[in-house]
Amino acid sequence: METYNNTVLEQLPQHLKRYVVAQRYERYTALDQALWRYVMRQNYSFLKDVAYYPYIPGLKKAGLSIETIPNLQEMNDSLKLIGWGAVTVDGFIPPAAFMEFQAHRVLVIAADIRQLEHIEYTPAPDIIHESSGHAPIIGEADYAAYLQYFGEIGTKALSSGKDFELYEAIRQLSILKEQTTTTTVELAAAEKNLQTIQQNMGEPSEMALLSRLHWWTVEYGLIGDALNPKIYGAGLLSSIGESASCMQDDVPKLPYDLYAIEYPYDITKPQPQLFVTPDFEHLRMVLDKFADTMAFRVGGKQSVEKAIDCRSVCTLAYSSGLQVSGIFTSANVDKNLSYIQTQGPTALAFAGKELEGHGINYHSEGFGSPVGNLRDADHDLEDFDDATLIQYGIVEGQQCLLNFASGITVAGTVQRIVRQFDKIVLISFTSCRVYRGEDVYFRPEWGPYDMAVGSEIVSVFAGAADKDAYEALEGHLDHASSSKSNEPEDVKLVNLHAAIRSLREKGFDQEAWLAIFNLFGSENADHWLGLVELFEIAQANGAEELTKLAEEQLLEFIDRYAYLKKLIDDGLRVAKEEALNNQ
């Protein structure tokens, strides 16, 4: 993985590095560059008055410019000065991974750029949204601290099985929308699949609710006075359409509080309302209120039930500090949680580090253990001293019978007692039988038995405690690429934009301008952006006849393609304003 001489990236854990792809800057075409330039010029024209932070200084702090698509080396050269970094990925990555990057102070940037037809807004992650939206405000220390803290909380959020289905459906639909070869049948099928899943989600998970807080703050947040707020959300800062429309009076501006979790969102449509925070410290306070309800802070039976519903790797932390990571499939949750069980590869850890000999290869078929105290014991098993262990017959090499208050019995020969920081965290047995009445949890013929020690489950969170130890299991990503390919007509368009870019960089030449202009025709709607650029060049160089020629052609475009009116009008307006300011 390229780290761009940024220590923030060098310190990323291995399990996150597998999501990172090379930017391959050379693949951005002249059309891509024109797209970036148009959006950024529009953003500056409008956002210089309504963005929370000074727009141009913010761009410079993040290593961005209006003229060209950002280079990851240049971005990291700037971001590392404020303790952050940036990496490129291929489209969507799982929400938990996105949050963890954020917790490590790393911006995740989609390597691709939107298509021309999605210039105002794209449902798929792209470099315009991720870099021009998120990066410039990182220079605001209070906001950067909130963003990192959100990542730390989000990394622990439990998802449901339905969340994973929804994520995959959204990812597939966004890929299809950005690929030029997608058929209407494929698109309709993907949209129907997404709609079906959305209508059958059930109760929202922790991650679903947390994603709403993320959406209404990091992506679509407003700050300041509710009557005259400023934009700080990246989704608004990178959308040349919604950044303007959202400020209109018909879009309600609600005070931001925890009730924002009651408002779901649709990434494919303009938002029906927005939330205004008085300051960034308020965002952290609301986030903390929600975090107090999450399984990683609450623990107990309800949290274990959430882990079971998650149907993916989670970690249960005992009061002793022992962490059990795996896919939890069943638990005795009658009145009090009495036994936990995983299926498939499981690992045991302490303080986020895997215990030696207790990785996924050793516990390859699952792990089960009681939760709670021994019957009639006056203090927790995890706190037993040597004398108390002897009193209860827990001596290495000797047989013992442990009767838990829950009614579970563990009978076998003690093989090993494992302590961490004066806490007993694990007792291993041979010839062991674990049962309660007629229910048998473990038999001697199954091999050695490792019993977790702890009076209760104090924390439950998503993912493995030692994620790097799980990397070999999780393997490589199997994501369809979201990269788009140029069709023959696209190649012609790319070449036209390359000629325009050369004209701008080498200096104005009237004959060269006319030669390019004559290659454009009103029969191709995609030519509008090139004509806007030619208008801008002529206007900036005082070529009145050429300016008039380009404007007349663009007005013909508006007559023929009414849906282009706003884009063309905005392009002409910005060019005229710039020429006027330069006089």
Side-chain angles (χ1 to χ4, degrees):
M1 184 194 103
E2 176 62 66
T3 58
Y4 304 102
N5 298 315
N6 188 340
T7 55
V8 174
L9 301 186
E10 291 167 0
Q11 293 168 2
L12 272 177
Q14 289 296 325
H15 67 274
L16 287 181
K17 291 180 180 179
R18 69 198 185 97
Y19 292 101
V20 178
V21 300
Q23 184 184 21
R24 294 193 295 120
Y25 194 88
E26 70 281 356
R27 73 190 177 122
Y28 298 121
T29 68
L31 175 57
D32 293 333
Q33 296 285 1
L35 243 163
W36 168 273
R37 189 174 181 275
Y38 176 90
V39 172
M40 294 300 290
R41 283 168 60 80
Q42 294 296 319
N43 281 350
Y44 175 64
S45 174
F46 181 71
L47 294 175
K48 67 180 187 293
D49 298 319
V50 298
Y52 171 73
Y53 59 89
Y55 195 71
I56 294 298
L59 291 177
K60 289 181 178 179
K61 274 188 178 181
L64 304 174
S65 79
I66 287 178
E67 292 298 317
T68 57
I69 294 172
N71 179 295
L72 262 289
Q73 181 63 66
E74 294 173 2
M75 284 193 71
N76 278 284
D77 287 344
S78 296
L79 289 173
K80 69 181 180 182
L81 299 177
I82 53 176
W84 281 72
V87 296
T88 42
V89 298
D90 185 14
F92 282 103
I93 64 172
F98 182 90
M99 293 290 185
E100 195 173 357
F101 272 109
Q102 203 166 285
H104 285 278
R105 303 191 311 279
V106 174
L107 293 176
V108 175
I109 297 174
D112 276 335
I113 189 167
R114 64 193 65 178
Q115 293 183 46
L116 182 58
E117 63 188 273
H118 297 152
I119 191 169
E120 289 185 280
Y121 174 80
T122 174
D126 85 323
I127 197 166
I128 293 179
H129 167 72
E130 306 291 352
S131 57
S132 71
H134 287 290
I137 196 172
I138 290 294
E140 295 285 337
D142 289 343
Y143 177 78
Y146 168 72
L147 198 63
Q148 181 183 4
Y149 187 57
F150 202 113
E152 293 170 355
I153 300 298
T155 300
K156 299 181 181 297
L158 295 174
S159 300
S160 68
K162 287 290 185 181
D163 288 338
F164 291 104
E165 292 179 24
L166 180 64
Y167 159 74
E168 186 60 24
I170 291 174
R171 189 181 69 82
Q172 290 291 346
L173 179 58
S174 73
I175 290 172
L176 289 174
K177 284 189 173 183
E178 282 297 312
Q179 286 180 338
T180 57
T181 56
T182 300
T183 67
T184 55
V185 173
E186 290 174 327
L187 198 59
E191 288 174 339
K192 183 178 180 180
N193 180 51
L194 175 59
Q195 185 179 26
T196 299
I197 293 172
Q198 286 175 325
Q199 292 172 349
N200 295 277
M201 288 295 294
E203 286 296 314
S205 66
E206 286 182 356
M207 181 60 85
L209 294 176
L210 196 64
S211 293
R212 293 178 185 179
L213 295 185
H214 196 269
W215 185 263
W216 298 125
T217 60
V218 174
E219 295 292 352
Y220 278 80
L222 301 176
I223 189 170
D225 183 353
L227 297 178
N228 186 31
K230 299 293 186 180
I231 296 172
Y232 73 90
L236 293 174
L237 293 173
S238 61
S239 171
I240 58 177
E242 200 165 0
S243 60
S245 64
C246 77
M247 303 304 284
Q248 296 174 3
D249 292 339
D250 60 346
V251 179
K253 315 296 190 299
L254 309 177
Y256 179 68
D257 212 332
L258 191 55
Y259 62 70
I261 64 173
E262 302 297 329
Y263 289 76
Y265 59 87
D266 185 339
I267 68 171
T268 66
K269 299 176 181 178
Q271 306 312 305
Q273 76 286 309
L274 296 172
F275 293 87
V276 185
T277 183
D279 50 47
F280 292 132
E281 184 60 33
H282 181 71
L283 298 182
R284 185 169 182 133
M285 182 190 71
V286 172
L287 179 57
D288 258 330
K289 282 184 181 179
F290 180 75
D292 286 340
T293 71
M294 292 173 63
F296 84 96
R297 287 187 179 175
V298 174
K301 179 178 70 173
Q302 183 180 12
S303 298
V304 175
E305 289 172 336
K306 288 181 179 180
I308 294 169
D309 182 56
C310 189
R311 303 203 302 268
S312 63
V313 177
C314 297
T315 296
L316 271 56
Y318 279 78
S319 51
S320 65
L322 183 73
Q323 298 165 318
V324 182
S325 301
I327 298 176
F328 292 86
T329 58
S330 63
N332 287 282
V333 288
D334 35 20
K335 182 178 180 182
N336 297 302
L337 179 65
S338 59
Y339 200 86
I340 58 101
Q341 181 68 53
T342 68
Q343 177 179 310
T346 304
L348 308 183
F350 187 87
K353 294 297 181 182
E354 185 175 284
L355 293 182
E356 185 177 356
H358 290 281
I360 57 176
N361 292 325
Y362 181 71
H363 297 288
S364 61
E365 297 182 3
F367 178 87
S369 184
V371 180
N373 290 318
L374 298 180
R375 186 182 302 159
D376 300 326
D378 57 5
H379 58 286
D380 298 341
L381 174 56
E382 63 206 69
D383 295 321
F384 278 15
D385 57 20
D386 290 342
T388 310
L389 286 172
I390 294 172
Q391 177 186 339
Y392 279 83
I394 307 173
V395 179
E396 291 183 2
Q398 295 185 16
Q399 289 186 338
C400 79
L401 186 71
L402 302 181
N403 293 307
F404 283 81
S406 63
I408 291 176
T409 297
V410 177
T413 300
V414 178
Q415 183 183 38
R416 187 185 177 202
I417 301 170
V418 179
R419 286 185 172 88
Q420 292 285 342
F421 295 99
D422 296 325
K423 289 277 188 180
I424 299 173
V425 299
L426 194 70
I427 301 176
S428 298
F429 297 85
T430 58
S431 304
C432 188
R433 180 179 173 86
V434 183
Y435 59 93
R436 177 165 55 184
E438 296 182 356
D439 296 327
V440 178
Y441 303 107
F442 196 87
R443 302 178 185 276
E445 58 266 30
W446 294 353
Y449 180 71
D450 298 291
M451 186 187 80
V453 176
S455 60
E456 59 182 330
I457 301 298
V458 296
S459 181
V460 179
F461 55 88
D466 186 344
K467 290 186 173 67
D468 283 346
Y470 258 78
E471 184 178 14
L473 172 67
E474 293 178 345
H476 296 288
L477 298 179
D478 185 24
H479 281 185
S481 174
S482 60
S483 300
K484 52 186 183 293
S485 58
N486 288 328
E487 296 178 350
E489 184 59 39
D490 293 330
V491 172
K492 293 179 183 178
L493 194 59
V494 166
N495 291 337
L496 285 172
H497 278 279
I500 293 171
R501 194 165 194 85
S502 177
L503 179 66
R504 181 184 292 108
E505 292 174 350
K506 292 181 178 180
F508 179 66
D509 179 278
Q510 182 165 320
E511 290 187 6
W513 189 100
L514 280 169
I516 298 170
F517 176 80
N518 289 330
L519 295 173
F520 283 89
S522 58
E523 71 282 354
N524 188 331
D526 288 344
H527 283 185
W528 72 268
L529 179 57
L531 285 169
V532 166
E533 289 205 293
L534 287 175
F535 173 88
E536 174 203 326
I537 292 171
Q539 178 90 3
N541 286 278
E544 294 184 7
E545 290 298 321
L546 301 186
T547 302
K548 183 178 179 182
L549 199 60
E551 187 166 13
E552 288 175 349
Q553 183 80 303
L554 285 166
L555 293 177
E556 288 184 24
F557 264 70
I558 292 175
D559 288 340
R560 179 173 289 195
Y561 311 106
Y563 66 92
L564 292 176
K565 177 174 171 54
K566 183 179 186 304
L567 288 167
I568 292 173
D569 283 347
D570 286 346
L572 294 175
R573 174 183 53 78
V574 169
K576 291 176 181 178
E577 287 177 355
E578 187 177 73
L580 187 63
N581 292 335
N582 290 335
Q583 287 181 355

